[in-house]
Amino acid sequence: MHILHVVGARPNFMKAAPVLHAISSRNGTRQSLVHTGQHYDTNMSDVFFRQLDLPKPDVNLAVGSGSQARQTAEIMVRFETVVLEQKPDLVVVYGDVNSTIAAALVCAKLQIPVAHVEAGLRSFDHTMPEEINRLMTDQISDYLFTPSQDGDHNLLREGIRREKIHFVGNVMIDTLIRLLPQAKCNLEGLPERYALITLHRPSNVDDLDALGALVSSLLNISQQIDIVFPVHPRTRKHLAALGRDLSRFHLLEPVPYLEFLSLQRGATAVITDSGGIQEETTYLGVPCLTVRENTERPVTITSGTNVLIGRDVDQLTVELAKILSGNKKQAQIPPLWDGHAGERIASILS
Ligand code: UD1
């Protein structure tokens, strides 16, 4: 049996590692890894391969950046050639990025079975490119591995057959549990007490009015607590265009996985628009304020430490004041976020 895994963008790497490792500990399966090249900077890609013990990709499609359509189409064209050459028995795709839908669509048309890891999540917000990627990928996948039970309910409601759906837990948390003991951050000059910020959603950073309002709110917050802000490449361009004085912030380049885990663990609060960080903070018990109107990860709100801020950035100051006064949300770790999701997937696929 030949299983081919497809990764492309930063959050895929933490999800693929536990599945690759769990399958490789079983006999009789050949695995290969294709990197689409959606993310290509060393600090967005290579460093994650090293820290997560991922094998060097067998193929790098080197698609790079582009519009939604161009990037997706370019991955499809280049990936089809690889699939026709390698003839895998199964292709595994991860998460909700453009690489995920592009690879799944190629395989569905070539009638090669597809497994989708992190299936069933829904924000119900069709303005997000990721929501379109999730909906489409799940419709054409053969194995749907869900991280939480809301995923199963969403898929059943969309008419997916029960026998295709497998509630296995959260692979991203597998990686966190494995590497947390090694997490450390040697960056110099960082404060002891800080709020950690990440922003990269197009709705927050591509629109300069929205970004300007967020920056004003963060400048306000920086009078109460230091701000540590690793800046995503998408965000960097737009922050520069804003032309504001950001010297009150500790601005960083994107940080590697182990350093970022350490920063999360030590934060008084995390302010983010990422999906995965909502989950990691829930596991770590660190308060998370999500600068979005919705989340595809509702379990981080119902069980975890996550609070949705919505469009009203003033709410950020209100919620942060609660955290700073010691009024933290009580949280529990959701079912099957236990470090063994990758093994469950390997066992089902075998
Ligand atoms: C993508 C995913 C998003 C995920 C995020 C994590 C889609 C639709 N979006 O968004 O779900 O949360 O990755 O980071 O797939 N760039 C670099 N170096 C890189 C990669 C990107 O400079 O290594 C710059 C490019 O200018 C590019 C921009 O960042 O235009 C955005 O990259 P892109 O992959 O298009 O989307 P992300 O915003 O990273």
Side-chain angles (χ1 to χ4, degrees), residues 104-343:
L105 196 47
V106 167
C107 295
K109 300 249 177 163
L110 294 173
Q111 298 188 16
I112 292 169
V114 176
H116 183 204
V117 175
E118 200 185 82
L121 298 185
R122 297 289 180 267
S123 66
F124 305 101
D125 176 355
H126 287 204
T127 65
M128 291 175 73
E130 293 83 0
E131 182 72 355
I132 311 294
N133 295 343
R134 292 181 201 113
L135 277 163
M136 299 297 125
T137 304
D138 285 340
Q139 279 298 324
I140 56 179
S141 292
D142 302 279
Y143 295 85
L144 296 132
F145 295 119
T146 59
S148 47
Q149 281 148 317
D150 52 283
D152 296 38
H153 301 148
N154 291 334
L155 294 171
L156 288 169
R157 205 181 38 247
E158 288 166 17
I160 309 252
R161 291 206 317 276
R162 164 120 298 272
E163 58 271 26
K164 287 179 158 188
I165 306 169
H166 306 274
F167 170 43
V168 292
N170 191 324
V171 284
M172 204 166 204
I173 300 301
D174 286 11
T175 297
L176 184 154
I177 291 173
R178 175 168 70 95
L179 293 177
L180 195 57
Q182 296 172 44
K184 59 173 185 309
C185 188
N186 295 329
L187 296 169
E188 278 174 23
L190 288 186
E192 251 179 47
R193 196 158 166 277
Y194 56 88
L196 177 65
I197 318 296
T198 81
L199 295 171
H200 75 279
R201 291 271 155 232
S203 58
N204 281 331
V205 304
D206 290 4
D207 170 356
L208 286 193
D209 288 341
L211 184 62
L214 268 168
V215 165
S216 298
S217 178
L218 293 174
L219 283 168
N220 204 3
I221 285 170
S222 72
Q223 297 178 6
Q224 297 167 62
I225 185 162
D226 279 302
I227 299 279
V228 174
F229 187 175
V231 183
H232 186 283
R234 176 189 281 280
T235 312
R236 190 189 308 132
K237 291 188 218 162
H238 298 289
L239 274 183
L242 214 53
R244 303 275 290 269
D245 175 10
L246 306 177
S247 57
R248 290 187 65 84
F249 299 161
H250 300 265
L251 295 179
L252 308 174
E253 289 298 309
V255 284
Y257 183 73
L258 293 174
E259 283 77 357
F260 193 72
L261 261 193
S262 167
L263 282 175
Q264 284 191 84
R265 183 174 54 189
T268 301
V270 175
I271 298 173
T272 191
D273 58 9
S274 148
I277 293 170
Q278 297 170 48
E279 298 179 337
E280 290 171 340
T281 46
T282 275
Y283 186 87
L284 294 168
V286 173
C288 179
L289 303 178
T290 297
V291 197
R292 284 176 47 190
E293 289 178 284
N294 48 55
T295 177
E296 61 288 337
R297 291 159 162 94
V299 74
T300 61
I301 295 182
T302 51
S303 298
T305 59
N306 192 16
V307 173
L308 277 188
I309 293 300
R311 279 262 147 237
D312 179 7
V313 287
D314 293 340
Q315 208 45 35
L316 207 48
T317 326
V318 174
E319 291 296 334
L320 188 76
K322 286 189 201 163
I323 297 166
L324 295 180
S325 69
N327 182 6
K328 283 208 287 187
K329 208 178 153 195
Q330 291 308 309
Q332 282 182 330
I333 295 171
L336 302 192
W337 291 23
D338 59 358
H340 300 291
E343 289 155 32

Side-chain angles (χ1 to χ4, degrees), residues 9-11 38-45 64-66 68 71 96-99 129-130 133 200-202 232-234 236-237 274-275:
R10 188 170 60 175
Q38 177 174 345
H39 285 174
Y40 42 84
D41 284 350
T42 303
N43 60 8
M44 297 290 286
S45 178
S65 303
Q68 294 289 322
Q71 189 176 57
D96 55 16
V97 299
N98 288 343
S99 302
E130 293 83 0
N133 295 343
H200 75 279
R201 291 271 155 232
H232 186 283
R234 176 189 281 280
R236 190 189 308 132
K237 291 188 218 162
S274 148

